[in-house]
Amino acid sequence: MSPPDVSLDGWQDAQIPPETPLPFCPERSVGLSLPLPISARLDLLVALAEQAGERTSRKEVVAACILGAPDGAEELVRWLRVYRRSPADSVYTSGSRLEDLELRPARPGPRTRPWRHRPPPAPA
């Protein structure tokens, strides 16, 4: 079965060389609103990457998740159903609990990151 024919709204006209790293490709805003526990988990994933010495952002983590999403319809549908049935307290990573998540609305704009104010840790 071939992938569905999806319009990429002008992507073909962008003339992106195939070897261009994804972070350097033209962008298109997707305007998402996420459930607060999912948004908090996204913040936890950013913090997890930063604890490992990787500078990243919510946008980059979402993009990486989309890139790593399953290509097959059955697997994608399975993950959609898992999401739809999951309770709010299922979002925590190991060592964290729902009470630990910041569930207050975030202000618009980039999140403050500690590494933006100090040099990154030296590689091990």
Side-chain angles (χ1 to χ4, degrees), residues 1-13 28 30 66 71 73 76:
M1 181 173 166
S2 63
D5 184 25
V6 177
S7 169
L8 297 177
D9 294 332
W11 182 83
Q12 296 88 346
D13 298 334
R28 178 172 181 213
V30 294
I66 292 170
D71 291 330
L76 179 59

Side-chain angles (χ1 to χ4, degrees), residues 7 10 41 45 52 60 78 83 86 111:
S7 169
R41 176 161 170 94
L45 293 173
E60 194 171 51
R78 186 176 81 75
Y83 165 73
S86 295
R111 306 303 186 263

